[in-house]
Amino acid sequence: MYTGITQGTFEVLRADRSPGLLRYEVGLSAALAEGLKPGASVAIDGVCQTVVELGVNGEVTFEAIQETLDLTTLSELRPGQRVSVERSARVGDEVGGHDVAGHVIGTGEILEVVQEGHVYDLRVGVQP
């Protein structure tokens, strides 16, 4: 479960592709990487991913399978790109956003953006 509040954007250090799999590494800050273990859930650009490996300097490796690549924007990841990162919520932590549960099931297309001052209204189209 997540709160929907990203903890920052971090650089994709590596993105290795093989048939049906993207193995990629994100460089996290020491504070954000603290306490992470293989098997932990982390949201990368809003997509729940599982930690596969941890480096000594905050590098975290994830693997996205073909279904995830087909249904999300993770298929577009490239080294040097920045991604939003959110650690999963823990019991007892302050919830600064709102409870977010579920999994990404597809991508949408921004059809219209209407700006009024500092407010942006988006119209998003999705496949049925």
Side-chain angles (χ1 to χ4, degrees):
M1 182 165 318
Y2 301 94
T3 65
I5 305 297
T6 186
Q7 286 139 336
T9 60
F10 299 88
E11 185 177 358
V12 174
L13 303 174
R14 199 180 79 231
D16 301 322
R17 289 169 169 71
S18 58
L21 184 72
L22 169 65
R23 184 178 177 93
Y24 64 99
E25 184 177 88
V26 178
L28 301 185
S29 66
L32 197 55
E34 184 177 339
L36 268 182
K37 296 178 180 172
S41 294
V42 177
I44 303 295
D45 277 354
V47 180
C48 182
Q49 293 283 269
T50 301
V51 173
V52 175
E53 289 179 10
L54 297 164
V56 293
N57 295 313
E59 309 93 340
V60 181
T61 301
F62 303 95
E63 292 179 338
I65 62 172
Q66 190 62 54
E67 183 174 9
T68 301
L69 298 174
D70 289 344
L71 297 175
T72 71
T73 58
L74 293 184
S75 62
E76 301 167 11
L77 290 183
R78 302 282 181 263
Q81 177 180 343
R82 296 186 73 80
V83 292
S84 68
V85 176
E86 181 185 357
R87 295 275 306 262
S88 57
R90 291 179 296 219
V91 174
D93 282 353
E94 176 182 339
V95 178
H98 50 276
D99 291 339
V100 180
H103 288 270
V104 174
I105 59 169
T107 59
E109 177 184 357
I110 297 175
L111 302 173
E112 180 181 18
V113 178
V114 177
Q115 180 183 359
E116 235 179 84
H118 296 290
V119 176
Y120 291 84
D121 288 328
L122 303 176
R123 188 164 66 97
V124 180
V126 296
Q127 294 295 320

